[in-house]
């Protein structure tokens, strides 16, 4: 039986991507590696049709958090401050990273099921004129909320503040307005919406907004070091070559399937089908559909079945779902639509959900 991962990354791999792991061994100081790396960097820009003279992607070996950490510690000038917006685990994690590195950090905290309160963000910017960057999660995977960033982007532009975005669980499917929003950098990973293998993550950065202001606190995660080296065809440290092969193939597969809007459509259809099935057995979503990403939805646990029993029954049928985090652990479960899920898998998931959750 095929095991289907419905957790928010890593995802079920296609055979095409899995086979790419078997390509020949390669030394990261050989020209073949430079070709592989620059090919992936160009393809990552192509996902959102970005102009390579204005934007660059930087490849890192590490999970999504490595890219987020590299972005946060490499952008904020020493005499300036970072404003972090929190409405879930991943916003909270960004604050933890920034404070751990000694970056002056202001945080605007929300309940984990709440949308961003733009009035409070505005007030924080008025009160803290040293803020140079805002850090925000686009898709807060904690609840499945797609944070609405248009108003925030307008506010940032008004205050001359740049955006640092955690797009780890949205890059490749959700709308990111690289042309209008004052984005300095977006952090993301190979193994979520791009359907690659865990081990490679990346930052897409705006060359001008990034280099005019950057000062890194780290060595291994210094984005500037990677950017300079990768622009010259090199890499400062050994990269995870096999996962590079897989990401390269995953990007080809992504473009062959029609790119961002096509993948978004596929996810929307999957999420709609699952939502309808769960409503039929009286399982309610945590958030209204218009507030949700197309990547993951959270549902309220029914008192008749604990998370552990639900998880184990689905696992026995070949499906891995995901628990809530923090205070939400006792209240919700989560289902994601990423990865190589076939129509037959989705059908089987629907019938399994009905049989496990039947009232
Ligand atoms: C998955 C995820 C991350 C990174 O998690 P890793 O386990 O380090 O890959 C960061 N932010 C968001 C919003 C995520 O969904």
């Amino acid at each position: 039986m095929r095991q289907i991962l419905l957790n928010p990354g890593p995802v079920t791999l296609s055979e095409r991507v899995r086979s790419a792991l078997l390509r020949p061994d390669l030394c990261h100081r050989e020209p073949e590696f430079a070709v592989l790396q620059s090919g992936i960097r160009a393809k990552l820009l192509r996902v959102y049709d970005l102009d390579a003279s204005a934007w660059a992607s930087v490849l890192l070996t590490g999970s999504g958090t490595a890219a987020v950490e590299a972005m946060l510690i490499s952008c904020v000038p020493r005499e300036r401050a970072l404003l972090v917006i929190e409405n879930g685990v991943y916003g909270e994690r960004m604050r933890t990273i920034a404070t751990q590195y000694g970056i002056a950090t202001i945080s605007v905290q929300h309940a984990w099921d709440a949308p961003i309160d733009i009035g409070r963000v505005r007030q924080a910017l008025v009160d803290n004129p040293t803020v140079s960057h805002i850090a925000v999660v686009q898709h807060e995977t904690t609840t499945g909320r797609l944070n609405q960033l248009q108003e925030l982007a307008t506010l940032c532009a008004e205050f001359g503040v740049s955006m640092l975005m955690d797009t780890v669980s949205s890059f490749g499917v959700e709308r990111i307005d690289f042309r209008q929003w004052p984005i300095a950098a977006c952090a993301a990973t190979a193994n979520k919406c791009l359907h690659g293998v865990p081990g490679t993550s990346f930052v897409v950065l705006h060359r001008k907004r990034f280099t005019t202001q950057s000062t890194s606190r780290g060595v291994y995660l210094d984005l500037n070091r990677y950017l300079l080296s990768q622009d010259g065809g090199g890499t400062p440290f050994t990269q995870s070559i096999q996962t590079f092969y897989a990401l390269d193939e995953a990007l080809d597969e992504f473009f062959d399937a029609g790119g961002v809007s096509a993948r978004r459509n596929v996810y929307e259809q999957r999420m709609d089908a699952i939502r309808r099935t769960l409503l039929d057995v009286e399982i309610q979503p945590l958030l209204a559909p218009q507030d949700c990403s197309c990547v993951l939805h959270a549902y309220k646990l029914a008192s008749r079945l604990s998370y552990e029993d639900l998880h184990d029954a689905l696992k026995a049928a070949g499906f891995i779902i995901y628990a809530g985090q923090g205070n939400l652990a006792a209240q919700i479960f989560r289902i994601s639509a990423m990865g190589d899920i076939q129509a037959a898998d989705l059908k089987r998931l629907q019938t399994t959900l009905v049989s496990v959750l039947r009232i």
Side-chain angles (χ1 to χ4, degrees), residues 215-232:
T215 23
S216 183
R217 275 93 173 157
V219 175
Y220 188 75
L221 292 177
D222 177 355
L223 269 187
N224 239 328
R225 183 187 301 257
Y226 282 88
L227 180 64
L228 285 172
S229 179
Q230 293 185 7
D231 278 349

Side-chain angles (χ1 to χ4, degrees), residues 307-354:
Y307 174 76
E308 288 69 28
D309 289 344
L310 176 62
H311 169 273
D312 293 354
L314 288 168
K315 185 171 183 176
F319 299 103
I320 302 296
I321 59 164
Y322 213 51
Q325 285 159 294
N327 289 339
L328 292 171
Q331 297 167 40
I332 64 166
F333 66 96
R334 294 177 287 172
I335 295 192
S336 157
M338 292 180 281
D340 183 49
I341 302 171
Q342 303 296 327
D345 302 320
L346 185 60
K347 264 252 125 52
R348 210 166 57 76
L349 171 65
Q350 290 176 283
T351 44
T352 309
L353 284 170
V354 169

Side-chain angles (χ1 to χ4, degrees), residues 1-6 11-16 18 195 253 270 314-320 337-346 348-349 352:
M1 183 176 51
R2 217 164 99 86
Q3 173 143 291
I4 304 294
L5 300 181
L6 303 169
V11 302
T12 309
L13 297 179
S14 69
E15 283 313 310
R16 176 172 171 183
R18 192 191 313 284
H195 299 182
E253 189 179 64
R270 290 175 186 167
L314 288 168
K315 185 171 183 176
F319 299 103
I320 302 296
M338 292 180 281
D340 183 49
I341 302 171
Q342 303 296 327
D345 302 320
L346 185 60
R348 210 166 57 76
L349 171 65
T352 309

Side-chain angles (χ1 to χ4, degrees), residues 8-9 63-66 68 90 93 137 139-141 166-169 189 191-192:
S63 79
T65 306
V68 173
Y90 296 98
R93 184 179 294 176
V137 179
H139 167 214
E140 187 40 272
T141 322
D166 173 342
T167 56
V168 176
S169 62
T189 187
N191 65 285
K192 293 207 183 184

Side-chain angles (χ1 to χ4, degrees), residues 78-151:
R78 298 213 177 247
E79 66 287 3
R80 303 296 296 272
L82 176 71
L83 192 155
V84 181
I85 298 175
E86 296 179 43
N87 60 347
V89 169
Y90 296 98
E92 182 181 275
R93 184 179 294 176
M94 291 203 291
R95 168 169 51 88
T96 306
I97 291 169
T99 51
Q100 178 95 25
Y101 279 93
I103 298 171
T105 305
I106 293 118
S107 156
V108 178
Q109 294 173 3
H110 304 74
W112 283 9
D113 59 355
I116 295 173
D117 180 343
I118 203 78
R120 286 178 56 217
V121 179
R122 170 181 287 278
Q123 193 56 49
L125 287 173
V126 170
D127 293 343
N128 298 282
T130 55
V131 168
S132 61
H133 292 75
I134 274 194
V136 66
V137 179
Q138 182 176 36
H139 167 214
E140 187 40 272
T141 322
T142 312
T143 55
R145 179 181 295 280
L146 184 67
N147 280 321
Q148 295 306 320
L149 300 180
Q150 180 57 56
E151 260 189 297

